[in-house]
Amino acid sequence: MPTIDEVKCEPDVVRLLLIEDDEDDALIAKSLLSEIRGIKFDVDWVSSYEGIPTHIAQSQYHICLLDYYLGSCTGLDVLGEALQYGCQIPIIMMTGTADREIDQKAIMLGAADYVIKGEVNSQLLERVIRHARERKKAETERAELHAKLIETSRQLGMADIAINVLHNVGNVLNSINVSAGLIANLLQKAHVGEISKISDMLKTHADNLGAFLTEDSKGKFVPQFLEELGKDLSSRVSQTLVETNTLLSKVDHVRRIIDAQQDIARPGGLQEPVRLEELTDQALMINREDINHHNIEVVQEYEVLPQVILDKHQILQILVNLIRNAKHAMIDKEGNSHCLTLRILRRVHQVSQLEVQVSDTGIGISSENLTKIFAQGFTTKAKGHGIGLHSSALAAKNCGGALHVSSNGEGCGATFTLILPEKVLEVPG
Ligand SMILES: Nc1ncnc2c1ncn2[C@@H]1O[C@H](COP(=O)(O)OP(=O)(O)O)[C@@H](O)[C@H]1O
Ligand SMILES: [Mg+2]
């Protein structure tokens, strides 16, 4: 059996699988194929149904001619099964008589075309084979293009998130800088050098320390000075401790943002047990610095739910996008006190679904924009890319869920709802 590459290297040779239980009919088909000019066929003939569907699906044929009457089963059975096994090559059905019903069924099932044995000549067969192959090629190219577009959107979505993460890390680093500056200032201005000066002074007057501390014009101030120095140093130490703790928690914040980014940036597709509240908190944490900075209140209303099986990478990506957009919408509506509400709930219609809602009190969305909000490239921001919601909607669909939006109009805030299927962990026993 040649490899795919070998098959591709020989464009003029068409590898054809002929499935025909009647030896005479097989000979006729082979003879018709040999009469076709300009194409050389390499024909494999099989006469029994045994193992054929998997064989067609796994082999490197370019095309298959399939007889309808195959003794114990029909060509429709073989066709259906081959397609179930993931058969990619065009299959042309050959029927003994003109039977519209069989022909229609074959096409509906996924056959590329059909020919009637008694009526087919080499020209007709050539045309049917050529058209079937051309259609298959166009179909494959379309599918590849579609897959590429989806992958490009996913990559763009991740790049967009990476920019957001860097922006947020930058903000936290700024406040780390502020804390570090405060600590440096507190230590620089601590009068530690005065302690050794006093110690030198005391050493010089070691012989008459009592008189020095009570009668000398400088010595008299030593006890009071030491008391004030002590107070100043202990206040500086406690302020330094507070600032150091702030600094440590900011460093930890940066580490957690980077951890979350690593979860987002790894390839998707891994289904694992996750807690939605943990993912929601993680997405909030990435944007937390900005949210605090703009005095936005955060309300978290989480229903207690079991762990669910989901692609953590995709869910995080969606939630980071929704929280970031909500934050921008609120920052852009000045003069208000703002609130970001995050809700996690379970809804039971026919099936049980989980919802994560991200609601804001921001600039809202006009009814006109509501209809185009998930389109790639749609943005109303000067520095926007219009990638976030498009890639989020695709990711939600990928997870078997959906992303919805509602808003009462401009100035009235917005709510985005991520709907997810509830796939829970199977508990053994
Ligand atoms: N919470 C929200 N409130 C108001 N408008 C929003 C909100 N979320 C998204 N939008 C609108 O949807 C547009 C597209 O969002 P998105 O795809 O994330 O791209 P970008 O943020 O780069 O503009 C935004 O420009 C904005 O007009
Ligand atoms: Mg966005």
Side-chain angles (χ1 to χ4, degrees):
M1 190 65 56
T3 64
I4 287 187
D5 287 342
E6 282 166 340
V7 170
K8 281 186 181 159
C9 287
E10 297 179 58
D12 298 327
V13 178
V14 174
R15 285 184 52 80
L16 183 142
L17 178 66
L18 175 63
I19 305 172
E20 171 63 80
D21 64 346
D22 184 304
E23 194 171 350
D24 289 342
D25 282 354
L27 282 175
I28 295 171
K30 279 185 181 180
S31 144
L32 286 175
L33 289 167
S34 69
E35 284 168 22
I36 294 175
R37 287 206 212 134
I39 309 176
K40 190 171 174 310
F41 287 95
D42 179 0
V43 181
D44 273 353
W45 168 44
V46 287
S47 58
S48 82
Y49 163 75
E50 208 60 24
I52 284 304
T54 31
H55 185 58
I56 311 177
Q58 288 163 8
S59 312
Q60 306 295 336
Y61 294 106
H62 292 118
I63 197 142
C64 170
L65 289 184
L66 172 62
D67 181 25
Y68 177 74
Y69 292 104
L70 281 173
S72 60
C73 66
T74 70
L76 289 180
D77 301 325
V78 178
L79 177 66
E81 249 183 87
L83 293 172
Q84 257 179 18
Y85 282 113
C87 171
Q88 295 292 331
I89 58 166
I91 299 178
I92 297 167
M93 185 78 80
M94 300 182 294
T95 51
T97 50
D99 184 334
R100 265 186 80 79
E101 206 181 316
I102 295 174
D103 298 342
Q104 274 176 349
K105 267 193 194 155
I107 299 293
M108 263 166 59
L109 257 178
D113 213 335
Y114 61 88
V115 289
I116 299 155
K117 280 185 192 170
E119 295 174 12
V120 67
N121 57 29
S122 62
Q123 278 163 331
L124 179 62
L125 193 57
E126 185 273 332
R127 206 166 54 237
V128 169
I129 290 177
R130 185 160 42 84
H131 286 178
R133 293 193 67 206
E134 279 166 3
R135 270 198 306 275
K136 191 75 203 172
K137 189 164 165 254
E139 227 172 70
T140 311
E141 282 171 0
R142 240 193 341 266
E144 281 171 3
L145 190 64
H146 183 69
K148 254 190 216 153
L149 278 175
I150 297 230
E151 181 53 22
T152 309
S153 287
R154 200 179 78 84
Q155 304 257 353
L156 280 174
M158 285 200 297
D160 193 43
I161 291 272
I163 294 169
N164 176 44
V165 165
L166 282 180
H167 166 84
N168 284 290
V169 167
N171 282 347
V172 187
L173 285 178
N174 278 345
S175 60
I176 287 179
N177 241 347
V178 170
S179 290
L182 277 173
I183 292 172
N185 198 29
L186 281 165
L187 294 179
Q188 254 167 19
K189 291 193 178 149
H191 303 282
V192 185
E194 304 296 319
I195 297 176
S196 38
K197 275 193 206 158
I198 289 181
S199 149
D200 288 346
M201 219 185 264
L202 294 178
K203 267 190 217 154
T204 317
H205 297 90
D207 296 344
N208 57 343
L209 212 48
F212 173 69
L213 290 174
T214 50
E215 290 160 28
D216 185 273
S217 60
K218 277 190 184 168
K220 279 199 286 190
F221 288 106
V222 169
Q224 191 192 339
F225 182 73
L226 280 179
E227 189 187 341
E228 278 168 20
L229 188 61
K231 274 188 200 157
D232 181 67
L233 285 181
S234 88
S235 143
R236 282 175 194 279
V237 166
S238 54
Q239 286 181 65
T240 305
L241 271 178
V242 169
E243 268 324 309
T244 309
N245 281 335
T246 310
L247 193 138
L248 284 176
S249 77
K250 302 271 176 192
V251 171
D252 188 53
H253 190 175
V254 170
R255 188 188 54 75
R256 284 185 293 131
I257 293 182
I258 291 170
D259 282 352
Q261 165 63 13
Q262 278 169 347
D263 275 335
I264 294 170
R266 69 180 157 80
L270 178 69
Q271 301 286 317
E272 57 191 313
V274 293
R275 289 199 178 281
L276 276 182
E277 62 269 35
E278 276 173 20
L279 291 188
T280 311
D281 283 350
Q282 223 178 343
L284 173 65
M285 180 267 302
I286 292 181
N287 285 286
R288 191 85 222 201
E289 189 72 17
D290 262 6
I291 288 174
N292 288 354
H293 181 73
H294 288 92
N295 292 322
I296 296 169
E297 185 196 350
V298 179
V299 173
Q300 285 152 289
E301 296 172 2
Y302 298 168
E303 238 177 66
V304 182
L305 295 173
Q307 283 194 317
V308 278
I309 308 290
L310 283 170
D311 182 345
K312 185 173 173 185
H313 148 96
Q314 310 235 38
I315 308 297
L316 252 182
Q317 184 172 343
I318 299 168
L319 294 175
V320 170
N321 267 319
L322 297 184
I323 294 175
R324 172 170 53 145
N325 279 341
K327 178 190 75 184
H328 285 151
M330 292 188 280
I331 294 173
D332 287 349
K333 192 179 171 205
E334 286 169 7
N336 266 57
S337 61
H338 283 298
C339 180
L340 171 72
T341 308
L342 303 172
R343 285 188 203 90
I344 299 175
L345 48 115
R346 177 195 265 133
R347 237 181 248 288
V348 185
H349 299 299
Q350 276 125 343
V351 285
S352 179
Q353 287 180 325
L354 303 178
E355 283 188 19
V356 185
Q357 292 179 0
V358 178
S359 294
D360 64 66
T361 51
I363 53 170
I365 305 161
S366 68
S367 53
E368 189 199 344
N369 284 353
L370 273 180
T371 55
K372 33 189 172 173
I373 206 153
F374 295 110
Q376 183 164 17
F378 174 79
T379 182
T380 54
K381 299 172 191 168
K383 287 186 181 164
H385 299 106
I387 291 166
L389 287 180
H390 178 72
S391 64
S392 297
L394 280 180
K397 204 169 152 200
N398 240 343
C399 296
L403 186 59
H404 294 175
V405 57
S406 67
S407 170
N408 289 332
E410 283 178 70
C412 299
T415 295
F416 283 82
T417 305
L418 170 63
I419 299 171
L420 294 166
E422 181 172 11
K423 276 185 270 171
V424 287
L425 265 182
E426 301 273 338
V427 183

